[in-house]
Amino acid sequence: MQNWKSSRRILLGITGGIAAYKIPSLVRLITRAKSEVEVIMTRSAGNFVAPMTLGALAGKSVWTDEGFDHTIPHVRLSGWGEVFVVAPCSANTLAKIAHGIADNLLTSAVLAASCPVLLFPAMNDRMYSNPAVQENIETLKRRGILVVEAESGALACGDSGRGRMPEPSEILHETFRALCPVHDMRGKRVLVTAGPTHEYIDPVRYISNPSSGKMGVAMARSAWYRGAEVRVIAGPVEVDAYGLGVVRVVSAQEMLEAVRANLGWADYVVKAAAVGDYRVKDYSPQKLKREGRDTLTLELVQNPDIAAEVGRLKREGQVLIGFAAETQDTAAHAREKLARKNLDYVLANDVLASGSGFAVDTNTLRLIPADNRKPERVFTGLKEDIAFEIWGDVLHS
Ligand SMILES: Cc1cc2nc3c(=O)[nH]c(=O)nc-3n(C[C@H](O)[C@H](O)[C@H](O)COP(=O)(O)O)c2cc1C
């Protein structure tokens, strides 16, 4: 399956801001993601990060005003790039771009660009809130330039406030969002549940399963790349949360409450969490001791069935997508679940098949639509790749 994120051509402009110290890590992430990068630096950027470092990481010389000559690099480079990222974007360069000033290689290349331009303004919070900077941001947004607004937090100058550049991994997510071949989920709202639940027996022990949340997060991330607004209700697993509006829960009961609170908001609901079917009937508020007990019997009671509840509350036009993790008769069990839980689609997952299921990066899933005029399809590959393909089917078949 072709990965749309590899072999992309990323033009990266760097200006004179303190946050430039993070950009070598970004270049490393880009090359690791198997994309190509051309780096253009302003004269001032060279005071903050060495061209040699960036060149070594990019595997090629970086572009500076020294090379702004008869070979017309600003036109060639801007024609080459599929996206033009400026990070950090200084107040000075932001103003130049807003006013069409092209007095160096970077700003000339921005002016010549026909690909999406993505700016990451980063500066001291008082500079950032200055009306001149804010008006420049508004002007650029109005013209269709993508401006990722600075974050709030501790600033390198010692102040705290709005002006922080996002982390390199977050810049890369935004870059791929701009590069995504389709933005057919703009204006759509997607709610995803992901990961396991922990059903506590006592304060230090719980019943759970090996779900990593990777498939759910892949569905969420793909929808976000395609332009959707996304919320993820995640059990206790690590989630690369940028842009995904993550709500943290622990138990099935908490997950149900979070789903209920967000259900009315969503156009699409993806139920990828591996929710515990049972919890202990009597939770022990003190740690259970082994002394004096050769065996321990726990009485379990059923947890609420979140997918069935979502199916019951489904509103007109809402699309519900469930997962059926099975170990035998996978497709038959999945079809039964599709009908019983009022789903529009079920993804049948044989978790015993090799390279499939919990805690691995790959999966094999059969997409079964409730509408039997639509085709069933089997997807195999990296979870992030198949998530992208699944959305294509759900939206267009
Ligand atoms: C130590 C130091 C840190 C600076 N940090 C920032 C910054 O974070 N953001 C910013 O917009 N300008 C910052 N500046 C000001 C810019 O470096 C200055 O406006 C420069 O002319 C920008 O040039 P350029 O836009 O061509 O890269 C800083 C200046 C100094 C001396």
Side-chain angles (χ1 to χ4, degrees):
M1 202 170 284
Q2 175 72 25
N3 184 332
W4 61 270
K5 285 164 73 188
S6 67
S7 307
R8 304 311 297 260
R9 298 186 305 275
I10 299 171
L11 202 49
L12 176 60
I14 310 174
T15 72
I18 301 176
Y21 82 88
K22 295 180 180 174
I23 301 304
S25 306
L26 173 62
V27 172
R28 186 96 180 90
L29 290 180
I30 293 172
T31 54
R32 267 202 213 144
K34 299 192 170 50
S35 278
E36 254 195 277
V37 60
E38 292 282 356
V39 177
I40 306 177
M41 298 176 72
T42 62
R43 206 174 292 281
S44 169
N47 294 329
F48 294 86
V49 59
M52 182 80 87
T53 308
L54 293 159
L57 292 170
K60 57 178 85 153
S61 300
V62 303
W63 294 89
T64 64
D65 286 347
E66 310 304 314
F68 193 16
D69 59 14
H70 67 280
T71 59
I72 324 179
H74 57 298
V75 176
R76 276 192 299 116
L77 286 167
S78 57
W80 172 86
E82 293 178 277
V83 64
F84 197 156
V85 177
V86 182
C89 184
S90 65
N92 179 57
T93 293
L94 190 80
K96 286 186 187 177
I97 298 172
H99 292 88
I101 295 170
D103 64 350
N104 61 28
L105 175 55
L106 195 159
T107 51
S108 302
V110 169
L111 217 53
S114 52
C115 62
V117 175
L118 188 53
L119 308 180
F120 290 85
M123 62 203 72
N124 167 272
D125 58 326
R126 293 196 300 282
M127 287 173 77
Y128 193 74
S129 60
N130 187 294
V133 171
Q134 288 301 313
E135 276 175 33
N136 287 335
I137 290 176
E138 286 317 309
T139 301
L140 289 165
K141 282 186 179 171
R142 237 187 355 263
R143 291 185 195 145
I145 302 279
L146 303 164
V147 183
V148 178
E149 297 245 13
E151 296 175 346
S152 293
L155 302 171
C157 56
D159 287 353
S160 181
R162 192 158 196 197
R164 265 174 75 90
M165 190 179 74
E167 294 304 316
S169 62
E170 300 171 347
I171 295 176
L172 193 61
H173 279 316
E174 292 285 1
T175 303
F176 283 131
R177 197 180 204 202
L179 281 169
C180 186
V182 282
H183 291 107
D184 48 4
M185 296 188 80
R186 269 199 194 122
K188 304 279 186 227
R189 297 191 288 205
V190 176
L191 180 66
V192 178
T193 68
T197 60
H198 288 182
E199 308 301 331
Y200 273 83
I201 299 165
D202 69 15
V204 297
R205 302 182 182 94
Y206 56 77
I207 302 169
S208 189
N209 60 66
S211 167
S212 61
K214 285 182 179 178
M215 195 62 228
V217 172
M219 291 295 289
R221 182 61 69 195
S222 281
W224 184 80
Y225 284 146
R226 295 175 93 113
E229 200 185 328
V230 177
R231 290 184 191 167
V232 174
I233 298 171
V237 278
E238 218 176 278
V239 176
D240 177 5
Y242 181 75
L244 300 184
V246 174
V247 178
R248 293 280 179 186
V249 297
V250 174
S251 64
Q253 192 61 44
E254 283 176 23
M255 188 169 277
L256 175 64
E257 279 157 28
V259 168
R260 274 201 189 122
N262 288 283
L263 194 57
W265 168 88
D267 301 310
Y268 293 85
V269 183
V270 180
K271 296 274 312 93
V275 182
D277 285 333
Y278 295 93
R279 65 180 182 279
V280 285
K281 180 158 175 277
D282 297 309
Y283 169 78
S284 165
Q286 303 300 329
K287 182 181 170 190
L288 293 171
K289 296 290 188 192
R290 60 185 284 158
E291 290 76 22
R293 279 198 186 104
D294 285 342
T295 61
L296 174 65
T297 304
L298 295 173
E299 191 177 350
L300 303 180
V301 293
Q302 260 200 29
N303 270 328
D305 184 337
I306 301 178
E309 173 79 350
V310 170
R312 196 176 62 73
L313 297 172
K314 176 161 108 173
R315 65 166 163 76
E316 185 68 24
Q318 207 167 32
V319 176
L320 305 188
I321 303 165
F323 280 74
E326 303 290 346
T327 54
Q328 57 182 352
D329 301 330
T330 304
H333 284 303
R335 283 195 186 89
E336 182 273 323
K337 189 169 179 176
L338 178 78
R340 183 164 46 85
K341 303 199 177 187
N342 196 19
L343 299 170
D344 297 286
Y345 295 89
V346 68
L347 286 147
N349 193 184
D350 179 352
V351 291
L352 294 186
S354 85
S356 233
F358 291 134
V360 289
D361 289 330
T362 52
N363 217 350
T364 295
L365 295 170
R366 174 183 287 272
L367 179 69
I368 306 173
D371 179 349
N372 55 20
R373 290 164 304 179
K374 293 184 180 175
E376 286 188 15
R377 246 185 97 189
V378 176
F379 301 89
T380 297
L382 286 172
K383 286 178 177 174
E384 64 163 283
D385 293 346
I386 64 181
F388 190 79
E389 298 283 320
I390 288 165
W391 279 121
D393 258 44
V394 166
L395 293 164
H396 303 296
S397 78

